[in-house]
Amino acid sequence: MTQTRVPVVLLTGFLGSGKTSLLNRLLRDPALCDSVVIVNEFGEIPLDHLLITQVDENIRLLDTGCVCCTVRGDLIDTLVDLYERRVRGDLAYSRIFIETSGLVDPAPIFHSFAADPLLIDDWRLSAVVTTADLVNGEATLAVHEQARRQIALADLIVLTKSDMATAEQTDGMIAAIGRLNPHAVQMAVNDDELAALLVSDRLSEAVGRTEAMRAEIWNSVEHNHGHEHSQSISSRSFYLDDPVTQASVLQWIELLAALRGEKLLRLKGLIRTVEEPERPMLIQAVQHVLHPVERLEHWPDDEHRSRIVIIGEDLDFDTIERTFRSHVGSNLAIGS
C-alpha cells in the first residue's frame, strides 16, 4: 500500500440539508481550493454541480442514479481515472470531495474504500462529513432510514440553518444526533475551523476511528438497502423557455409548500425572470421551508432557460404541473 494515498472526504446529508453550500464554503478556503469534486445527483436535471464555485476541470458529475449502488462502478472508474491523470501530471490536486445525493446510504462507500482492490492502494477515506438540517432534521430522521444512517456513520456533523431554526428545533436535532452518533464531532456550518480540521489529522484523532474501525462499522450495520427512494421517492423536472415574474414563482412555491410540504423533500431551480433575465434566480425549498431567494451574477452554463427539479415522496406530479401552468407559465416542458 502506498504511503501517499490521496485523501477523500465523503460529504453526505439528506436532501436540502446544505451540502452544496457547505462545499462552496470549504472550496473558498486556500487550504482546500486545489480539490477535485465528484457530484452525484438524484433527479432528471443535474443542478447542484452548476452551483459549485470551482473550475470545470475539477468537477466530475455522476447523474445516473444512487452512488452507493447504481453508479458505484462509475465512481470507482472515475477515481481510477483521476489517479492516473494525477500520476501522469495531467491534473494536480491534493484531495477529493465526493458530494453524494441526499438519498445515499454511505455504508457501501465505506466498504469500497476499505476493501476494493482498485481503491485501497491509492485512496484513503479521510473523513465522512454529514450536514444536519436544524429546521427539518429531527422530523426527517424520524421518517427516513437513509438520513439516520448518514448521521450514524459520520465523523463530522455540520449543523446547518441555525439562522432559520428555533431553539426547540435546534435542541431536538442535537439530542437526536447524540442518540445516533455520540462520538462524532459537531460544528456549525460557519465555523472557521472546518477547513483546517479536514486538512489536518485532528478529526480522525478526535473521533478515534481508524480505517479498521470503519470496516467494523460497515460489517456491524446491516446493509438493508431496499431502495426506499426508488419506490416512494421520485423526481420531476420542469423547463421553461420564456422569462417569468419572480412573484409568480414564489407564490407557486409557497402554495406547494403549504399544501404538500410534508412530502416535498427538495425543490431547487434556476429561474429566468423578466426582472433580471441575465441574472438567474436560485430558488430552494425543503418541506414547508422556502429559503431566501438568491441572484447569481450570471448563468453558470450556456443554457439560459428556467429549470426546476422537484424530489418528493408520493407526490402527485400531474397536479403540481397543472398548478405551475396556471400560476407561473404554460409554455412548460417536462423532463426534456
Side-chain angles (χ1 to χ4, degrees), residues 129-197:
V129 180
T130 299
T131 50
D133 178 349
L134 293 176
V135 176
N136 301 297
E138 190 177 7
T140 298
L141 291 176
V143 176
H144 296 287
E145 176 66 17
Q146 284 100 331
R148 293 192 291 273
R149 293 168 75 87
Q150 290 165 357
I151 293 291
L153 296 173
D155 300 314
L156 170 64
I157 296 172
V158 180
L159 306 175
T160 65
K161 305 183 185 178
S162 59
D163 57 329
M164 304 170 66
T166 65
E168 182 180 5
Q169 289 170 328
T170 299
D171 292 344
M173 184 56 175
I174 290 176
I177 290 171
R179 291 190 293 269
L180 289 167
N181 188 346
H183 303 294
V185 175
Q186 294 186 34
M187 300 182 76
V189 70
N190 58 353
D191 196 310
D192 292 335
E193 293 297 314
L194 266 175
L197 192 62

Side-chain angles (χ1 to χ4, degrees), residues 250-291:
L250 298 182
Q251 288 170 1
W252 171 71
I253 297 175
E254 289 170 356
L255 175 65
L256 182 59
L259 296 179
R260 295 291 182 268
E262 73 282 358
K263 302 293 186 181
L264 182 64
L265 300 180
R266 185 193 191 216
L267 181 151
K268 179 174 280 190
L270 289 174
I271 307 298
R272 183 179 175 215
T273 65
V274 295
E275 292 88 352
E276 295 185 79
E278 298 307 315
R279 295 185 63 210
M281 180 175 69
L282 173 63
I283 55 170
Q284 300 187 72
V286 179
Q287 297 182 32
H288 293 284
V289 179
L290 173 60
H291 290 211

Side-chain angles (χ1 to χ4, degrees), residues 279-318:
R279 295 185 63 210
M281 180 175 69
L282 173 63
I283 55 170
Q284 300 187 72
V286 179
Q287 297 182 32
H288 293 284
V289 179
L290 173 60
H291 290 211
V293 169
E294 297 180 47
R295 285 280 180 180
L296 304 186
E297 289 302 318
H298 52 77
W299 288 89
D301 60 5
D302 294 331
E303 187 175 357
H304 291 194
R305 60 174 174 168
S306 299
R307 61 202 100 156
I308 300 171
V309 61
I310 300 173
I311 303 173
E313 186 172 17
D314 298 322
L315 282 177
D316 182 352
F317 284 111
D318 291 337

Side-chain angles (χ1 to χ4, degrees), residues 30-72:
L32 296 174
C33 65
D34 62 339
S35 304
V36 166
V37 178
I38 299 174
V39 180
N40 172 226
E41 299 188 46
F42 180 86
E44 296 173 347
I45 307 176
L47 281 180
D48 284 349
H49 74 290
L50 297 176
L51 305 176
I52 297 173
T53 54
Q54 184 74 304
V55 295
D56 290 345
E57 177 69 7
N58 283 32
I59 294 179
R60 299 293 184 276
L61 176 65
L62 304 176
D63 61 351
T64 53
C66 169
V67 75
C68 62
C69 43
T70 308
V71 296
R72 191 168 163 193

